[in-house]
């Protein structure tokens, strides 16, 4: 008998967070059932779209670094068990802009405080080593050698398969309608009926405010837009020669992904508004022409090897929290419900460790890897503090 076989855990949502969590839980011997409203992987949630960035020198703060380093080990472990396809290619990463630009200053500060390998390259060196990017004379590129690019659909597939090999059961096209804590267990309602579990993990991505109990002021879906721009010299723009990058410039801010489809570089604009959505179902497929033109102007100005014509545009959703940090840990409503939501545009890279942290909670009620900025009780704590004051 497996160590926790009699403990039944439901995972709601099978994007990258749900599949990684199911894998980690099943490996520790829990009896795991995953509910997904479609199949997995699918392209309607936040875990698809050809590419994702892995970074270790982290502008969001050095406190994430141990989580990122441990995630890298988990990604390697997942890769070893996967069917041949390369999930994460370590092509390095660049943050580009003036040194005083907040995100550029933040990566340098993170590298220095965490003692991480990095190089600060001036504009001349960048032109020589990375001609894919056009820099102004006063700009620099900060190189993170421990960065890379994911193929997200393959990653989710690999996590699903690893979980199933460890015993997780997947129920696809099974939408969870309600999660109801009772004295004897937590009920999960679907069209097929109600079922009791000891613990329920909510990993429903941009849909999370439907079942999490967190209000819109804390957690809301937003629209992100990606555009693909054809490369003149495709070889120069493949991961073997082009790192992933984050660009900060008065005329454009974006993340940029090397060619994975054989022809085009993906650009995800940051300087254009990320529209709030009432519900995920309202995600518009068509994008305002002004927004596309603004992205094309930024590419024309900053990416000399690309044709500044967006040959493909797609829209995506993600759940964002009010403070931009994920929510990982017990629900304020009931500690038998574990939340892994509000990944706020960051969640792919550390998803295996989010799964591991939740497995720690399920096993021990706490996790030594938990990161304080992701504390799931932070709003309820501050509300309680506010009442006392
Ligand atoms: C365009 C874009 C670019 C990004 N770039 C990066 C990047 O470069 N690096 C990085 O680390 N992160 C990045 N992120 C963030 C990262 O991709 C997300 O944080 C991560 O994919 C979130 O995964 P998830 O499993 O929480 O959500 P999802 O992938 O959306 O999974 C949630 C799943 O839950 C299912 N579901 C919802 N409600 C129910 C229900 N009631 N019953 C059953 N199933 C349900 C959905 O169908 C879905 O499959 C990016 C995000 C986007 C959108």
């Amino acid at each position: 008998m497996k160590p926790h076989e009699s403990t039944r855990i439901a995972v709601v949502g099978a994007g990258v967070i749900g599949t990684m969590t199911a894998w980690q839980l099943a490996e520790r011997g829990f009896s795991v059932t995953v509910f997904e409203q479609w199949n997995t992987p699918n392209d309607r949630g936040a875990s698809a779209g050809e590419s994702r960035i892995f970074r270790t020198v982290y502008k969001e703060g050095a406190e994430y670094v141990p989580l990122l380093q441990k995630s890298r080990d988990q990604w390697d472990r997942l890769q070893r068990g996967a069917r041949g396809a390369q999930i994460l290619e370590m092509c390095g990463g660049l943050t580009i802009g003036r040194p005083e630009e907040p995100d550029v200053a933040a990566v340098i500060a993170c590298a220095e405080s965490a003692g991480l390998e990095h190089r600060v390259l001036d504009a001349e060196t960048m032109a020589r080593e990375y001609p894919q990017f056009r820099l102004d004379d006063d700009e620099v590129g900060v190189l993170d050698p421990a960065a890379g690019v994911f193929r997200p659909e393959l990653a989710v597939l690999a996590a699903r398969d690893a979980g199933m090999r460890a015993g997780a059961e997947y129920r696809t096209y099974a939408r969870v309608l309600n999660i109801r804590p009772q004295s004897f267990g937590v009920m999960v309602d679907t069209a097929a009926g109600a079922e009791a579990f000891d613990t329920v993990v909510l990993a429903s991505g941009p849909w999370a405010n439907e079942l999490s109990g967190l209000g819109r002021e804390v957690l809301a879906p937003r629209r992100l837009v990606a555009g693909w721009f054809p490369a003149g010299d495709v070889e120069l723009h493949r991961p073997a020669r082009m790192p992933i990058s984050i660009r900060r410039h008065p005329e454009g801010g974006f993340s940029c992904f090397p060619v994975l489809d054989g022809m085009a570089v993906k650009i995800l604009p940051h300087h254009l508004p990320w529209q709030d959505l009432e519900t995920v179902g309202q995600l518009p497929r068509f994008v305002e022409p002004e927004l596309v033109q603004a992205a094309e102007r930024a590419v024309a100005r900053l990416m000399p090897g690309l044709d500044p014509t967006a040959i493909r545009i797609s829209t995506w959703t993600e759940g964002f929290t009010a403070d931009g940090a994920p929510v990982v840990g017990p629900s304020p409503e009931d500690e038998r419900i574990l939340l892994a939501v509000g990944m706020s545009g960051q969640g792919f890279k550390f998803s295996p460790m989010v799964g591991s942290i939740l497995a720690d909670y399920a096993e021990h009620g706490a996790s030594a890897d938990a990161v304080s900025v992701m504390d799931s009780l932070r709003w309820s704590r501050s509300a309680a503090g506010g009442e006392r004051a």
Side-chain angles (χ1 to χ4, degrees), residues 27-336:
E27 273 199 340
R28 295 195 200 186
F30 289 100
S31 172
V32 179
T33 306
V34 183
F35 294 88
E36 167 57 51
Q37 62 185 343
W38 291 305
N39 210 335
T40 184
N42 67 68
D43 65 357
R44 276 139 281 180
S47 302
E50 188 181 275
S51 47
R52 287 289 183 275
I53 287 174
F54 181 83
R55 305 176 267 131
T56 303
V57 181
Y58 213 53
K59 65 182 170 55
E60 289 80 356
E63 63 194 304
Y64 284 92
V65 170
L67 191 75
L68 294 163
Q69 290 172 325
K70 287 185 179 181
S71 294
R72 173 71 203 284
D73 296 340
Q74 295 287 330
W75 283 111
D76 288 346
R77 200 162 73 78
L78 188 69
Q79 178 72 67
R80 284 195 292 276
R83 294 177 268 190
Q86 196 171 4
I87 298 168
L88 171 59
E89 195 165 348
M90 297 304 284
C91 55
L94 285 162
T95 304
I96 304 170
R98 297 200 180 104
E100 63 277 12
E101 177 66 44
D103 286 343
V104 179
V107 286
I108 295 173
C110 172
E112 287 173 354
S113 72
L116 298 174
E117 191 186 341
H118 69 293
R119 289 170 70 204
V120 182
L121 311 174
D122 61 19
E124 210 181 306
T125 313
M126 282 290 292
R128 206 171 46 246
E129 296 189 19
Y130 298 109
Q132 303 91 342
F133 307 97
R134 180 181 291 127
L135 273 69
D136 294 345
D137 290 346
D138 57 352
E139 290 187 304
V140 297
V142 185
L143 181 71
D144 170 6
V149 63
F150 292 109
R151 287 167 176 80
E153 293 85 355
L154 297 180
V156 174
L157 207 54
R160 181 203 68 180
D161 289 352
M164 286 169 73
R165 282 197 301 274
E169 179 200 347
Y170 273 74
R171 299 204 194 150
T172 53
Y173 302 99
R175 179 171 170 74
V176 171
L177 304 171
N178 208 356
I179 299 171
R180 291 180 291 120
Q182 305 284 317
S183 55
F184 53 86
V186 184
M187 301 304 291
V188 170
D189 297 338
T190 64
E195 218 171 314
F197 290 87
D198 298 294
T199 299
V200 174
V201 174
L202 186 67
S204 53
W207 288 262
N209 55 10
E210 290 176 9
L211 295 172
S212 66
L214 300 172
R216 254 198 87 79
E217 63 291 355
V218 167
L219 179 62
R222 279 192 197 156
R223 179 188 76 166
L224 282 75
V225 175
W228 278 258
F229 295 84
D233 178 351
V234 169
E235 292 312 314
L236 183 65
H237 293 82
R238 287 194 199 271
R241 294 179 62 189
M242 179 176 168
I244 58 91
S245 59
I246 293 177
R247 188 73 163 103
R248 294 292 177 258
H249 187 276
E251 291 172 53
F254 47 81
S255 27
C256 177
F257 304 74
V259 172
L260 295 183
D261 66 355
M263 61 179 175
V265 165
K266 184 176 111 179
I267 301 278
L268 190 89
H270 294 178
H271 66 300
L272 306 169
W274 288 358
Q275 183 190 346
D276 278 321
L277 300 171
E278 233 4 85
T279 65
V280 179
Q282 287 180 345
L283 175 70
R285 170 161 184 239
F286 296 106
V287 175
E288 305 78 349
E290 301 73 33
L291 202 142
V292 179
Q293 284 178 302
E296 290 179 341
R297 275 196 300 276
V299 168
R301 170 76 172 82
L302 301 169
M303 301 296 295
L306 304 184
D307 186 313
T309 310
I311 55 167
R312 214 155 75 231
I313 293 279
S314 60
T315 55
W316 303 92
T317 57
E318 161 79 320
F320 282 81
T321 59
D323 61 9
V327 178
V328 179
S331 157
E333 290 185 353
D334 192 304
E335 62 182 17
R336 295 169 298 173

